Amino acid sequence: MRTTADLSNPLPLAQALIRRPSITPADAGALGVLEAALEQLGFACRRYPFGEVDNLYARRGSASPCFLFAGHTDVVPPGADADWTRPPFGAEADDGLLWGRGAADMKGAIAAMVAAVDRFLAKAGEPDGSIAFLITGDEEGPAIHGTKAVLVALAEEGERFDHCLVGEPTNPNTLGDTIKSGRRGSLNCRLTVTGRQGHVAYPERAENPIPPLLTLLGRLTARELDTGVPHFQPSNLEVTSVDVGNPTTNVIPAAAVARFNIRFNIAHTGDALSQWIRDEVAKANLDFDGRVEADIHVTGEAFLTPAGAFTTLLQDCVEAETGRRPALTTGGGTSDARFIQLYAPVAEFGLVGATMHQIDERVPVSDIESLTSIYTRILTRYFKDFPA
């Protein structure tokens, strides 16, 4: 018989999750820990395995509106255990801090979500609507077999959500600083220029791939994509690698490769940027007796959840608990919100992310408690202000 746990306190669940070394794509039992807690709260749970990745969807109720909590139990590698002050998967709570990989990003927030549901149900009873969880094991990885794949499957099954809150660690310094109401898009490109190898003393017998690659990179980086748009910082193209792999000094290489990333705002789409790159590649091919190719992958489109009743509700609840009114921002990297925004209005709010992905990742236990209170208040206000 399964033991009934006190789920109103988020700390034990956060510790249980951290003690599962769920380094992408391994689950290591983390979803099982969460599934047991949600089943205790009356959620119907379903697993959605895709490839090497396992995912969990849980729902309590069938009516509208449906409030969706979303997040991930996978974590990045901890590095060398010896470099940590506390064991990375020990989940030690000491001097008011919870230590461990995933404490901030984002097992602490998932535990706060579960505790908030427990407190909300104990106080308010059955909501006039539904609560759901979508938790993936692939956010820190390629993000192909996680939230993106599960959302497609759920849509095919007729599942619908009205609003979503993702528990990413959005606060840079203090709990209550920031709500993410949108994200920039991301495009990765690999440029490959293939020429003809030859001796440097006889360039007429070779076709050097390096000059056309540098010329192409110069044209791409010279363009000012934009100067920023409302709610977004300027888009930027960053060259991340230029590789020839030539160990000699007297040989013209056969090929050269470069990689770059574009983080773009809503002034652009992935398709439009991809077409621009292909056009520049076509121009480079005109004057080169070789081959210039671009392998382009758009990993997420830019999006913005407009300020309105939902974002105001979130700001009000954070301010009521912390005394700080969080700013609505769109900076930083990508998250699974880029997939969810195709299905429902989405925002992100979680713990302070100052130590995420670092050695000695840790968060104040008091912040996990405060986040639980914020999430509880959000559920209470949501089912009052967003009737079916």
Side-chain angles (χ1 to χ4, degrees):
M1 183 176 179
R2 182 172 288 171
T3 303
T4 300
D6 177 13
L7 297 175
S8 65
N9 179 3
L11 181 58
L13 180 56
Q15 291 176 300
L17 290 170
I18 292 170
R19 287 171 183 146
R20 302 290 180 165
S22 50
I23 301 169
T24 313
D27 171 59
L31 289 178
V33 170
L34 179 59
E35 184 175 10
L38 291 173
E39 286 181 342
Q40 181 178 319
L41 292 176
F43 282 79
C45 298
R46 304 200 297 270
R47 294 291 187 94
Y48 286 84
F50 293 100
E52 295 181 288
V53 179
D54 203 359
N55 306 281
L56 174 66
Y57 176 70
R59 181 161 177 160
R60 192 181 195 278
S62 58
S64 294
C66 180
F67 185 92
L68 176 68
F69 281 117
H72 61 93
T73 51
D74 64 313
V75 298
V76 298
D81 288 9
D83 293 337
W84 285 68
T85 302
R86 306 286 194 282
F89 298 108
E92 293 183 14
D94 186 38
D95 289 334
L97 296 172
L98 175 61
W99 300 72
R101 176 59 82 229
D105 188 16
M106 54 168 282
K107 292 178 176 180
I110 290 175
M113 293 171 179
V114 174
V117 172
D118 182 76
R119 295 180 189 184
F120 167 75
L121 294 174
K123 184 176 181 179
E126 199 66 32
D128 292 327
S130 306
I131 304 172
F133 280 74
L134 173 51
I135 307 297
T136 181
D138 191 34
E139 198 274 346
E140 301 289 6
I144 296 172
H145 295 132
T147 297
K148 183 178 182 180
V150 177
L151 285 168
V152 172
L154 291 175
E156 291 174 351
E157 295 170 7
E159 289 285 331
R160 297 291 183 269
F161 323 109
D162 292 279
H163 294 87
C164 177
L165 182 62
V166 182
E168 289 289 343
T170 56
N171 299 281
N173 299 304
T174 306
L175 189 70
D177 284 343
T178 301
I179 292 171
K180 299 285 187 184
S181 58
R183 291 277 188 168
R184 292 193 297 170
S186 180
L187 178 153
N188 291 305
C189 181
R190 174 189 170 100
L191 296 173
T192 303
V193 181
T194 305
R196 187 168 62 255
Q197 182 176 315
H199 197 292
V200 294
Y202 304 95
E204 70 278 5
R205 299 176 184 175
E207 193 67 33
N208 196 329
I210 299 175
L213 177 63
L214 296 179
T215 298
L216 177 56
L217 285 175
R219 291 178 62 89
L220 292 170
T221 57
R223 176 184 171 183
E224 181 180 68
L225 295 171
D226 57 74
T227 58
V229 297
H231 309 292
F232 285 88
Q233 65 195 88
S235 304
N236 61 294
L237 184 156
E238 300 299 328
V239 178
T240 57
S241 178
V242 179
D243 299 298
V244 178
N246 186 0
T248 68
T249 60
N250 62 348
V251 174
I252 294 171
V257 176
R259 294 181 178 85
F260 64 85
N261 175 270
I262 302 177
R263 293 299 167 101
F264 58 94
N265 58 41
I266 56 175
H268 309 273
T269 66
D271 284 345
L273 290 170
S274 298
Q275 187 58 55
W276 166 57
I277 295 167
R278 286 191 289 266
D279 290 344
E280 292 293 341
V281 167
K283 294 175 185 176
N285 271 307
L286 290 175
D287 301 320
F288 179 58
D289 188 19
R291 187 171 67 254
V292 184
E293 299 172 292
D295 184 17
I296 304 169
H297 294 279
V298 178
T299 59
E301 295 287 347
F303 75 93
L304 177 68
T305 299
F310 180 55
T311 56
T312 298
L313 182 152
L314 299 179
Q315 288 177 301
D316 288 347
C317 291
V318 173
E319 185 176 20
E321 293 294 337
T322 68
R324 289 175 290 278
R325 191 162 188 83
L328 300 177
T329 70
T330 59
T334 60
S335 76
D336 279 355
R338 68 190 189 271
F339 307 125
I340 299 168
Q341 59 95 13
L342 298 172
Y343 298 84
V346 59
E348 304 170 59
F349 183 79
L351 292 164
V352 174
T355 63
M356 65 177 179
H357 293 206
Q358 295 183 9
I359 299 295
D360 283 347
E361 182 176 350
R362 60 199 181 276
V363 292
V365 174
S366 60
D367 277 6
I368 300 177
E369 173 58 33
S370 295
L371 185 62
T372 301
S373 298
I374 291 168
Y375 287 162
T376 305
R377 188 179 289 270
I378 288 170
L379 288 173
T380 303
R381 279 279 307 274
Y382 182 81
F383 289 108
K384 175 179 177 292
D385 295 350
F386 288 83

